[in-house]
Amino acid sequence: MIDHRYLDLGYAFRKSKVWKQLSEEELFAVRIPSNDGQGEIGYCCVMGSLGEHMALSVYVGAEGFTTYRKVVDPGPDFVYGSMDDMLSQDCIQCSIEQRDRFAPDELDMLREYCSAAGIPFRAPYPDFQRFRPHCLPWYIVEDDDWTFLETALRVAIRLSEEIKAHGKSSLGLRPVVVGRHDQCYGAEQMGLFDSLSGDRVTIPLYSIVDGKLKQERIPLPPYAEPVPATPTRINDIAIAKLMKHRQRGVYECDILRLPHPIEGDPPFLPAMLMSVDEDGLVNVSHLSNVPSYDADAMLDHFIESLEDRYPKEIRVRSNEAKCLFEEFCRRANIRLTVTDDLDRLDEAADDMREHLDNAEPEDTFAEMAEALDEMSLDEIRALPDMLLDAMIAHADLLPARIAKKLKKAVRS
């Protein structure tokens, strides 16, 4: 149940139609006060000037704003329509949506609110969502997120009132074109279109004090490169065993996200480590059961999958994979190469995605049940941990007899 004061603001935002007054490039900020007088800053973008998606998004801090940079300037590797690129934002959002976007219980809540507030129960309706990287949009549950969104909504509504009464000239709003890293352009520089660092382009920071809109100016935050997970321990015993074998071959490896979300709060795209050797042997190690991933488990599963194969070189593309393998390769005397040329891996990943896109869920679980039925308990226990974890997570979708056998094998 959403507190009625947030619904009050959502409907006031809808009524303001501030997206008709501001462009998406006219960014502004709000601050949430704290005991030290500083507080966190949320960077705000009003969307909907083209009438397609009316919303207010709040990106908290430099890390949140970095995901905004990636949305507006996705870079050369962007794949239009891919789930992982669409689910890259870290923000809180109030949007104005049509009826088909709401579940029946959500419509019941809105109907009840409208009846109590004397508002016609008529679409579109305000919706409140939390976006996190690699996750489906989800409900807002954190008090701090509600506080940020409440503050930003109050400011956006007041901006609309000020614009209607006095125009935009006194509000300090300027279009700002933001790049993927620290490149951005303020309105006064657009004629020259010179590249400027983030600390030279400022946006207004608004607060409401004694019922009046207060304004100051702040620089845009610098690009905050995400810090990849790195292993906290290296299995030196496993490395010593590995180095007893003759060193040969090249492995292509990268950390990928499955194209379909799995259940969670919120549902998310699980991460996995895929590797392909020179013979085309594909191995998938450690399917994460949270939106992030366990770097220790991922590396351990990879080393285990090598068995007696001791590679000369491991090739990776992403910074995540580089950080995963760096210390292991140093200790195991394996060359680590960062390159975009991973043809074998790309082919294997495309095959996997195509198979997942074409597979019917019923067929997948029927095949899984049939295979488990024919296996002994020892054979089930010998399956990779990643596969066992995935099977256990979906055991309730298997026939009861097969699910019981699977759980018995894992327990024993």
Side-chain angles (χ1 to χ4, degrees), residues 80-367:
Y80 181 78
S82 70
M83 284 290 286
D84 199 27
D85 280 311
M86 289 190 291
L87 304 180
S88 60
Q89 295 186 79
D90 186 355
C91 70
I92 315 144
Q93 187 177 102
C94 172
S95 59
I96 307 301
E97 306 288 354
Q98 294 300 323
R99 185 185 184 94
D100 60 0
R101 289 291 296 271
F102 295 87
D105 61 327
E106 294 172 323
L107 290 172
D108 289 342
M109 177 197 66
L110 289 167
R111 186 180 291 106
E112 179 184 333
Y113 166 81
C114 289
S115 176
I119 299 173
F121 180 59
R122 186 184 303 126
Y125 312 111
D127 192 21
F128 307 91
Q129 293 182 308
R130 185 62 164 95
F131 292 75
R132 296 186 186 278
H134 313 302
C135 298
L136 295 188
W138 203 239
Y139 306 104
I140 300 175
V141 295
E142 300 291 338
D143 290 342
D144 287 349
D145 289 342
W146 278 119
T147 301
F148 257 117
L149 188 57
E150 179 181 8
T151 302
L153 282 168
R154 291 189 185 281
V155 166
I157 294 164
R158 179 55 61 89
L159 285 174
S160 177
E161 295 169 352
E162 291 289 331
I163 292 170
K164 289 173 183 175
H166 308 294
K168 290 203 293 189
S169 59
S170 65
L171 295 176
L173 290 161
R174 301 285 187 276
V176 177
V177 181
V178 178
R180 184 175 180 84
H181 295 288
D182 275 339
Q183 306 306 311
C184 49
Y185 315 97
E188 60 273 23
Q189 290 88 22
M190 287 294 282
L192 299 175
F193 213 71
D194 289 335
S195 177
L196 299 173
S197 62
D199 61 358
R200 292 181 59 189
V201 175
T202 62
I203 62 173
L205 170 67
Y206 297 120
S207 56
I208 299 175
V209 180
D210 297 329
K212 296 182 179 180
L213 194 68
K214 180 183 176 183
Q215 177 195 151
E216 53 187 301
R217 298 196 71 83
I218 60 169
L220 289 173
Y223 179 83
E225 182 68 47
V227 179
T230 55
T232 60
R233 52 176 171 74
I234 303 294
N235 190 336
D236 288 319
I237 295 176
I239 291 176
K241 291 180 180 178
L242 192 65
M243 294 178 72
K244 291 179 180 178
H245 301 283
R246 184 169 66 88
Q247 196 171 23
R248 58 187 175 84
V250 176
Y251 275 69
E252 295 182 3
C253 307
D254 211 357
I255 298 172
L256 308 176
R257 295 274 171 178
L258 283 181
H260 302 294
I262 64 174
E263 289 300 319
D265 290 326
F268 63 94
L269 303 182
M272 63 181 183
L273 175 66
M274 176 177 278
S275 63
V276 185
D277 67 12
E278 287 183 334
D279 298 325
L281 179 64
V282 179
N283 185 272
V284 177
S285 301
H286 182 70
L287 187 68
S288 66
N289 56 9
V290 292
S292 58
Y293 56 86
D294 184 336
D296 289 319
M298 188 173 280
L299 182 59
D300 286 345
H301 288 175
F302 172 77
I303 296 173
E304 182 182 336
S305 73
L306 291 174
E307 298 178 344
D308 60 350
R309 297 183 298 276
Y310 176 25
K312 282 185 177 180
E313 182 182 5
I314 291 177
R315 296 177 181 172
V316 300
R317 176 180 290 129
S318 66
N319 188 45
E320 286 181 309
K322 175 179 177 288
C323 291
L324 179 74
F325 283 110
E326 206 159 29
E327 182 61 17
F328 162 70
C329 287
R330 186 188 69 80
R331 295 193 194 187
N333 194 30
I334 298 171
R335 184 186 305 117
L336 179 62
T337 303
V338 179
T339 176
D340 285 329
D341 185 16
L342 300 178
D343 292 341
R344 293 195 305 274
L345 181 77
D346 290 339
E347 183 178 351
D350 288 342
D351 288 345
M352 177 199 69
R353 294 187 185 104
E354 183 177 356
H355 174 74
L356 290 172
D357 287 341
N358 294 332
E360 294 290 337
E362 296 82 2
D363 295 339
T364 301
F365 289 111
E367 292 173 4

Side-chain angles (χ1 to χ4, degrees), residues 372 375 378-388 391 406:
L372 290 171
M375 297 172 71
D378 286 338
E379 287 173 328
I380 294 175
R381 282 193 291 270
L383 293 171
D385 290 344
M386 175 273 300
L387 184 57
L388 279 175
M391 287 179 171
L406 173 63

